[in-house]
Amino acid sequence: MAYPDGLLSEDESVVVHKHPHWKMLLGPVLVLFVVVGGASYLAALVATTPWRLPVWIALGVVGLLVIFWFTLAPVSRWRTTHFVITTHRLMVREGVFTRSGIDIPMWRINSVRFRRGVVDRVFGCGTLVIESASDEPLEFDDIPQVEQVHSLLYRGVDDNAERTQES
């Protein structure tokens, strides 16, 4: 899915548009399976008791709240998080109800690093660390194909530096 063209300047185009790696959804999906399985087991245990209906209602309400909080909310956050590299800047947008974002012009990026642990290497993702003119480096976790993104971002920074020196 392309990033909305209305948010880009006239001579700007999207180079990379990614969501965080699907690895971050493993926990929420596991919670879904545990809640559904546990609630089903408990519902079967009380099926022969005379007060089964209030227990089933309570299990349903608690189960739905847990699923909403620990499964649907993280999936929504994952879906609405965008990591976008354009020809002029790096953009990160996140949030469902309250959107937040950061834009870093290519010429303000000083260095680009990445980190990949064993689990990240298995899943093909990693953490991208960007140092800009700000005090603290920015870390973006669970970036899919982090080495390729690192390379593209580094080339973009290098190309931008050469254009600045020529001017």
Side-chain angles (χ1 to χ4, degrees), residues 4-48:
D5 292 333
L7 299 176
L8 305 176
S9 60
E10 290 180 21
D11 59 341
E12 186 176 24
S13 61
V14 173
V15 178
V16 173
H17 177 206
K18 296 192 178 283
H19 293 284
H21 195 271
W22 58 266
K23 171 188 88 163
M24 70 179 291
L25 298 176
L26 291 177
V29 169
L30 181 64
V31 167
L32 174 69
F33 289 146
V34 168
V35 168
V36 170
S40 298
Y41 176 74
L42 292 175
L45 281 179
V46 297
T48 58

Side-chain angles (χ1 to χ4, degrees), residues 56-78:
W56 285 349
I57 291 172
L59 283 172
V61 168
V62 170
L64 286 175
L65 287 173
V66 170
I67 287 171
F68 177 79
W69 192 261
F70 293 105
T71 301
L72 294 179
V75 168
S76 296
R77 275 192 301 276
W78 172 81

Side-chain angles (χ1 to χ4, degrees), residues 4-139:
D5 292 333
L7 299 176
L8 305 176
S9 60
E10 290 180 21
D11 59 341
E12 186 176 24
S13 61
V14 173
V15 178
V16 173
H17 177 206
K18 296 192 178 283
H19 293 284
H21 195 271
W22 58 266
K23 171 188 88 163
M24 70 179 291
L25 298 176
L26 291 177
V29 169
L30 181 64
V31 167
L32 174 69
F33 289 146
V34 168
V35 168
V36 170
S40 298
Y41 176 74
L42 292 175
L45 281 179
V46 297
T48 58
T49 63
W51 34 270
R52 67 182 171 259
L53 187 59
V55 173
W56 285 349
I57 291 172
L59 283 172
V61 168
V62 170
L64 286 175
L65 287 173
V66 170
I67 287 171
F68 177 79
W69 192 261
F70 293 105
T71 301
L72 294 179
V75 168
S76 296
R77 275 192 301 276
W78 172 81
R79 186 71 183 121
T80 59
T81 299
H82 300 272
F83 182 84
V84 181
I85 299 173
T86 71
T87 51
H88 298 315
R89 60 187 163 155
L90 165 74
M91 300 186 296
V92 178
R93 301 285 187 268
E94 55 191 1
V96 179
F97 299 112
T98 303
R99 299 280 295 162
S100 64
I102 185 170
D103 289 8
I104 305 171
M106 288 293 188
W107 61 271
R108 303 252 319 181
I109 296 175
N110 295 333
S111 70
V112 182
R113 295 180 292 146
F114 69 90
R115 248 189 344 260
R116 294 178 75 189
V118 174
V119 174
D120 288 338
R121 291 174 69 181
V122 168
F123 285 109
C125 62
T127 300
L128 192 65
V129 181
I130 297 173
E131 292 183 26
S132 64
S134 68
D135 294 336
E136 296 291 322
L138 299 170
E139 293 191 8

